[in-house]
Amino acid sequence: MMQQRILILHTGGTIGMEASADGYRPAQDFSTLLAQKLDGCDLPNYELLQLDHLIDSADLCPSHWSQMAKLLADKWEKYDGFVVLHGTDTMAYTASALSFILQEIDKPVIVTGSQIPLSALRTDALNNLLDSLLLAVNPEIKEVCICFDGRLLRGNRSSKVNSTSCDAFDSPNLPWLGEAGVHIQLNHGLLLAGGSPNFRTLTFDSRAVAMLTIFPGMQANMLEQILKQEGVKGLILRNYGVGNVPSHNSALMQALEEAVQGGIVVVSVSQCVAGGVFQNTYASGSVLSRIGVSSGSDMTMEAAFTKLHYLLACGEQAEAIRRKIPLPLRGECC
Ligand code: ASP
């Protein structure tokens, strides 16, 4: 038996679900099932910790990130690595959020889950779990990753790209950090250097960040309605291509400008899966630079959303956040 120690933090998701009349929902006795599947295997020693309320990750709120980060931070010294079991629907948001909250970590945090429950015969959960447990004791990894279907991905570069296939995750703007095939191989040159963890307790306000997708014919009042909501301090705008907007819609442009002048941090991300925002390529994009919208660079929508939440939770002022958004904090953008 290996001597390293891993903490598995179970938050919910398909991996630990069971069928019910209403469809899959979190099963309560996950620890027995886990023990049945893993006991006797030559694996690192593990301990299981569960959230008090296991969730379908569709029910995730920003406050869950503080809760998860605190549980990991409190146990940091006791374990060699951490595996977070999570639903796939919002896994990329959580992996991104944890990467910002747990900056400068010196151990692996591997987030995983499955498309089919661990209890099912044809499950992808067991492989994801075994790969994650083995990667979680690799001291070369000092960052938050997603491990899924043999891919090791930087957490804050990942997105769920397929809702029905087991290769559900990818990191379109960054090569995989590793691959678990016949052998487990790491892409050493891409791994982040570790630091000395200095954990902070952050409180996230669910209302703080809103998101809006630009679409043909969008009216300014949609944007105005969102920005009127109490507590909104930041907006992720999902724009076309390299960050273009209907710049001839003057009411929409004016509403955006007023929002920025009123202290809202607006971040432009691309609706495209790969590539990113290059705001000054077209006149229909450079208008955003003039208005003071921050470029989300080549960040995923999930990374931009959680980074904005993180910077707001840190108490940064709007102007400082606007400057920091396009700059990498934890390998989330170029
Ligand atoms: N709805 C589930 C969740 O995100 C989907 C999954 O885990 O695959 O919790």
Side-chain angles (χ1 to χ4, degrees):
M1 182 72 81
M2 298 183 188
Q3 288 313 301
Q4 297 105 319
R5 294 194 310 172
I6 294 181
L7 181 71
I8 301 179
L9 173 59
H10 180 35
T11 68
T14 297
I15 191 164
M17 285 191 182
E18 62 189 5
S20 81
D22 299 326
Y24 286 130
R25 55 169 54 153
Q28 287 319 307
D29 195 14
F30 183 70
S31 59
T32 308
L33 177 65
L34 192 67
Q36 278 167 7
K37 299 282 181 182
L38 298 184
D39 280 8
C41 301
D42 184 21
L43 286 169
N45 294 309
Y46 72 87
E47 279 172 56
L48 177 70
L49 190 65
Q50 303 200 151
L51 290 191
D52 291 340
H53 299 287
L54 297 174
I55 55 166
D56 183 308
S57 79
D59 281 318
L60 181 92
C61 294
S63 57
H64 286 110
W65 302 326
S66 328
Q67 204 184 338
M68 291 179 212
K70 180 160 180 1
L71 288 169
L72 298 177
D74 285 350
K75 308 269 179 187
W76 197 256
E77 294 310 325
K78 220 180 133 194
Y79 297 92
D80 298 293
F82 301 84
V83 172
V84 178
L85 304 182
H86 199 287
T88 59
D89 289 342
T90 54
M91 185 182 288
Y93 288 91
T94 291
S96 300
L98 289 179
S99 79
F100 299 127
I101 305 170
L102 303 172
Q103 284 212 17
E104 305 296 321
I105 54 175
D106 52 356
K107 295 173 186 175
V109 174
I110 311 291
V111 187
T112 194
S114 65
Q115 294 278 62
I116 307 173
L118 182 61
S119 55
L121 189 59
R122 273 185 62 253
T123 183
D124 56 331
L126 192 57
N127 275 348
N128 288 347
L129 196 53
L130 293 174
D131 290 344
S132 299
L133 287 168
L134 294 172
L135 285 160
V137 289
N138 190 322
E140 284 180 84
I141 303 171
K142 301 169 198 302
E143 58 180 292
V144 179
C145 300
I146 285 183
C147 174
F148 215 95
D149 198 43
R151 299 172 182 180
L152 182 71
L153 310 171
R154 174 156 304 148
N156 58 31
R157 288 285 197 161
S158 307
S159 292
K160 184 174 179 180
V161 293
N162 197 316
S163 64
T164 54
S165 167
C166 291
D167 56 350
F169 287 86
D170 207 345
S171 55
N173 280 339
L174 190 78
W176 303 346
L177 298 185
E179 201 171 348
V182 174
H183 303 289
I184 294 185
Q185 285 174 328
L186 294 182
N187 197 342
H188 300 276
L190 285 179
L191 296 174
L192 292 179
S196 316
N198 176 17
F199 299 125
R200 299 170 61 178
T201 307
L202 293 175
T203 305
F204 289 89
D205 179 352
S206 285
R207 306 167 307 170
V209 182
M211 181 143 32
L212 185 62
T213 301
I214 293 284
F215 57 88
M218 195 180 113
Q219 302 296 301
N221 63 353
M222 277 204 145
L223 178 68
E224 287 159 357
Q225 285 302 323
I226 288 183
L227 297 174
K228 246 196 256 166
Q229 302 307 309
E230 207 185 316
V232 174
K233 294 183 178 151
L235 175 74
I236 304 295
L237 207 52
R238 301 186 65 225
N239 296 327
Y240 302 129
V242 287
N244 302 321
V245 290
S247 56
H248 289 179
N249 182 337
S250 44
L252 186 62
M253 294 305 103
Q254 192 183 332
L256 262 182
E257 188 160 7
E258 280 171 14
V260 172
Q261 281 171 2
I264 303 275
V265 181
V266 183
V267 179
S268 168
V269 296
S270 176
Q271 291 176 23
C272 299
V273 176
V277 169
F278 299 91
Q279 207 151 264
N280 298 327
T281 312
Y282 295 88
S284 60
S286 63
V287 61
L288 297 181
S289 303
R290 189 184 53 73
I291 286 174
V293 169
S294 301
S295 163
S297 179
D298 63 343
M299 272 187 282
T300 61
M301 170 262 288
E302 296 89 337
F305 179 81
T306 54
K307 186 174 180 177
L308 186 48
H309 253 298
Y310 168 76
L311 292 170
L312 286 166
C314 287
E316 303 259 2
Q317 296 304 302
E319 208 36 61
I321 298 178
R322 284 188 193 116
R323 273 199 314 275
K324 286 184 182 179
I325 281 289
L327 308 175
L329 279 180
R330 208 51 193 147
E332 73 281 9
C333 54
C334 288

PDB file of all heavy atoms in Angstrom, residues 13-14 17 55-58 87-90 114-115 160, ligand 1:
ATOM      1  N   GLY A  13     -22.776  15.497  -7.511  1.00  0.00           N
ATOM      2  CA  GLY A  13     -22.585  15.204  -8.932  1.00  0.00           C
ATOM      3  C   GLY A  13     -22.909  13.765  -9.263  1.00  0.00           C
ATOM      4  O   GLY A  13     -23.079  12.916  -8.375  1.00  0.00           O
ATOM      5  N   THR A  14     -22.979  13.499 -10.557  1.00  0.00           N
ATOM      6  CA  THR A  14     -23.364  12.175 -11.061  1.00  0.00           C
ATOM      7  C   THR A  14     -22.539  11.048 -10.451  1.00  0.00           C
ATOM      8  O   THR A  14     -23.062   9.962 -10.190  1.00  0.00           O
ATOM      9  CB  THR A  14     -23.190  12.146 -12.604  1.00  0.00           C
ATOM     10  OG1 THR A  14     -24.087  13.096 -13.160  1.00  0.00           O
ATOM     11  CG2 THR A  14     -23.492  10.792 -13.190  1.00  0.00           C
ATOM     12  N   MET A  17     -24.331   9.660  -7.627  1.00  0.00           N
ATOM     13  CA  MET A  17     -25.802   9.736  -7.677  1.00  0.00           C
ATOM     14  C   MET A  17     -26.441   8.360  -7.833  1.00  0.00           C
ATOM     15  O   MET A  17     -25.792   7.389  -8.203  1.00  0.00           O
ATOM     16  CB  MET A  17     -26.239  10.641  -8.831  1.00  0.00           C
ATOM     17  CG  MET A  17     -26.035  12.118  -8.536  1.00  0.00           C
ATOM     18  SD  MET A  17     -26.860  13.148  -9.764  1.00  0.00           S
ATOM     19  CE  MET A  17     -26.417  14.782  -9.201  1.00  0.00           C
ATOM     20  N   ILE A  55     -24.725  18.188  -3.604  1.00  0.00           N
ATOM     21  CA  ILE A  55     -25.552  18.895  -4.604  1.00  0.00           C
ATOM     22  C   ILE A  55     -25.401  18.300  -6.004  1.00  0.00           C
ATOM     23  O   ILE A  55     -24.372  17.710  -6.329  1.00  0.00           O
ATOM     24  CB  ILE A  55     -25.203  20.407  -4.691  1.00  0.00           C
ATOM     25  CG1 ILE A  55     -23.694  20.617  -4.963  1.00  0.00           C
ATOM     26  CG2 ILE A  55     -25.631  21.133  -3.440  1.00  0.00           C
ATOM     27  CD1 ILE A  55     -23.355  22.029  -5.397  1.00  0.00           C
ATOM     28  N   ASP A  56     -26.454  18.471  -6.780  1.00  0.00           N
ATOM     29  CA  ASP A  56     -26.308  18.422  -8.236  1.00  0.00           C
ATOM     30  C   ASP A  56     -25.602  19.733  -8.536  1.00  0.00           C
ATOM     31  O   ASP A  56     -26.053  20.799  -8.080  1.00  0.00           O
ATOM     32  CB  ASP A  56     -27.698  18.376  -8.889  1.00  0.00           C
ATOM     33  CG  ASP A  56     -27.608  18.249 -10.395  1.00  0.00           C
ATOM     34  OD1 ASP A  56     -26.900  19.065 -11.022  1.00  0.00           O
ATOM     35  OD2 ASP A  56     -28.258  17.355 -10.948  1.00  0.00           O
ATOM     36  N   SER A  57     -24.507  19.696  -9.288  1.00  0.00           N
ATOM     37  CA  SER A  57     -23.718  20.928  -9.417  1.00  0.00           C
ATOM     38  C   SER A  57     -24.460  22.027 -10.179  1.00  0.00           C
ATOM     39  O   SER A  57     -23.991  23.161 -10.223  1.00  0.00           O
ATOM     40  CB  SER A  57     -22.349  20.650 -10.031  1.00  0.00           C
ATOM     41  OG  SER A  57     -22.432  20.498 -11.422  1.00  0.00           O
ATOM     42  N   ALA A  58     -25.614  21.696 -10.745  1.00  0.00           N
ATOM     43  CA  ALA A  58     -26.449  22.757 -11.318  1.00  0.00           C
ATOM     44  C   ALA A  58     -26.923  23.707 -10.215  1.00  0.00           C
ATOM     45  O   ALA A  58     -27.291  24.850 -10.486  1.00  0.00           O
ATOM     46  CB  ALA A  58     -27.640  22.146 -12.045  1.00  0.00           C
ATOM     47  N   GLY A  87     -19.955  17.538  -9.668  1.00  0.00           N
ATOM     48  CA  GLY A  87     -20.783  17.361 -10.859  1.00  0.00           C
ATOM     49  C   GLY A  87     -20.122  18.015 -12.062  1.00  0.00           C
ATOM     50  O   GLY A  87     -19.371  18.989 -11.924  1.00  0.00           O
ATOM     51  N   THR A  88     -20.426  17.475 -13.232  1.00  0.00           N
ATOM     52  CA  THR A  88     -19.740  17.988 -14.427  1.00  0.00           C
ATOM     53  C   THR A  88     -20.304  19.331 -14.908  1.00  0.00           C
ATOM     54  O   THR A  88     -19.594  20.097 -15.550  1.00  0.00           O
ATOM     55  CB  THR A  88     -19.830  16.976 -15.592  1.00  0.00           C
ATOM     56  OG1 THR A  88     -21.203  16.738 -15.888  1.00  0.00           O
ATOM     57  CG2 THR A  88     -19.130  15.678 -15.250  1.00  0.00           C
ATOM     58  N   ASP A  89     -21.574  19.602 -14.579  1.00  0.00           N
ATOM     59  CA  ASP A  89     -22.208  20.788 -15.169  1.00  0.00           C
ATOM     60  C   ASP A  89     -21.468  22.082 -14.842  1.00  0.00           C
ATOM     61  O   ASP A  89     -21.355  22.963 -15.693  1.00  0.00           O
ATOM     62  CB  ASP A  89     -23.668  20.900 -14.700  1.00  0.00           C
ATOM     63  CG  ASP A  89     -24.551  19.832 -15.336  1.00  0.00           C
ATOM     64  OD1 ASP A  89     -24.146  19.244 -16.354  1.00  0.00           O
ATOM     65  OD2 ASP A  89     -25.655  19.587 -14.811  1.00  0.00           O
ATOM     66  N   THR A  90     -21.020  22.213 -13.619  1.00  0.00           N
ATOM     67  CA  THR A  90     -20.319  23.454 -13.238  1.00  0.00           C
ATOM     68  C   THR A  90     -18.897  23.170 -12.739  1.00  0.00           C
ATOM     69  O   THR A  90     -18.307  24.003 -12.051  1.00  0.00           O
ATOM     70  CB  THR A  90     -21.110  24.221 -12.153  1.00  0.00           C
ATOM     71  OG1 THR A  90     -21.355  23.340 -11.057  1.00  0.00           O
ATOM     72  CG2 THR A  90     -22.434  24.736 -12.697  1.00  0.00           C
ATOM     73  N   SER A 114     -17.967  12.297 -13.087  1.00  0.00           N
ATOM     74  CA  SER A 114     -18.214  11.313 -14.151  1.00  0.00           C
ATOM     75  C   SER A 114     -19.517  11.633 -14.858  1.00  0.00           C
ATOM     76  O   SER A 114     -20.343  12.402 -14.357  1.00  0.00           O
ATOM     77  CB  SER A 114     -18.266   9.903 -13.574  1.00  0.00           C
ATOM     78  OG  SER A 114     -19.378   9.782 -12.707  1.00  0.00           O
ATOM     79  N   GLN A 115     -19.681  11.009 -15.986  1.00  0.00           N
ATOM     80  CA  GLN A 115     -20.920  11.156 -16.754  1.00  0.00           C
ATOM     81  C   GLN A 115     -21.911  10.064 -16.367  1.00  0.00           C
ATOM     82  O   GLN A 115     -23.107  10.194 -16.626  1.00  0.00           O
ATOM     83  CB  GLN A 115     -20.631  11.065 -18.259  1.00  0.00           C
ATOM     84  CG  GLN A 115     -19.793  12.208 -18.824  1.00  0.00           C
ATOM     85  CD  GLN A 115     -20.627  13.433 -19.128  1.00  0.00           C
ATOM     86  OE1 GLN A 115     -21.224  14.016 -18.228  1.00  0.00           O
ATOM     87  NE2 GLN A 115     -20.659  13.837 -20.380  1.00  0.00           N
ATOM     88  N   LYS A 160     -16.643  22.296 -20.060  1.00  0.00           N
ATOM     89  CA  LYS A 160     -17.387  21.089 -20.427  1.00  0.00           C
ATOM     90  C   LYS A 160     -17.769  21.259 -21.894  1.00  0.00           C
ATOM     91  O   LYS A 160     -18.476  22.207 -22.249  1.00  0.00           O
ATOM     92  CB  LYS A 160     -18.626  20.933 -19.545  1.00  0.00           C
ATOM     93  CG  LYS A 160     -19.393  19.639 -19.814  1.00  0.00           C
ATOM     94  CD  LYS A 160     -20.541  19.434 -18.815  1.00  0.00           C
ATOM     95  CE  LYS A 160     -21.300  18.154 -19.127  1.00  0.00           C
ATOM     96  NZ  LYS A 160     -22.410  17.904 -18.195  1.00  0.00           N
TER      97      LYS A 160
HETATM   98  N1  ASP B   1     -26.133  17.395 -13.231  1.00  0.00           N
HETATM   99  C1  ASP B   1     -24.930  16.694 -12.857  1.00  0.00           C
HETATM  100  C2  ASP B   1     -24.085  17.632 -12.008  1.00  0.00           C
HETATM  101  O1  ASP B   1     -23.475  18.499 -12.543  1.00  0.00           O
HETATM  102  C3  ASP B   1     -24.184  16.253 -14.072  1.00  0.00           C
HETATM  103  C4  ASP B   1     -22.920  15.464 -13.787  1.00  0.00           C
HETATM  104  O2  ASP B   1     -22.380  15.368 -12.709  1.00  0.00           O
HETATM  105  O3  ASP B   1     -22.401  14.891 -14.764  1.00  0.00           O
HETATM  106  O4  ASP B   1     -24.076  17.501 -10.807  1.00  0.00           O
END
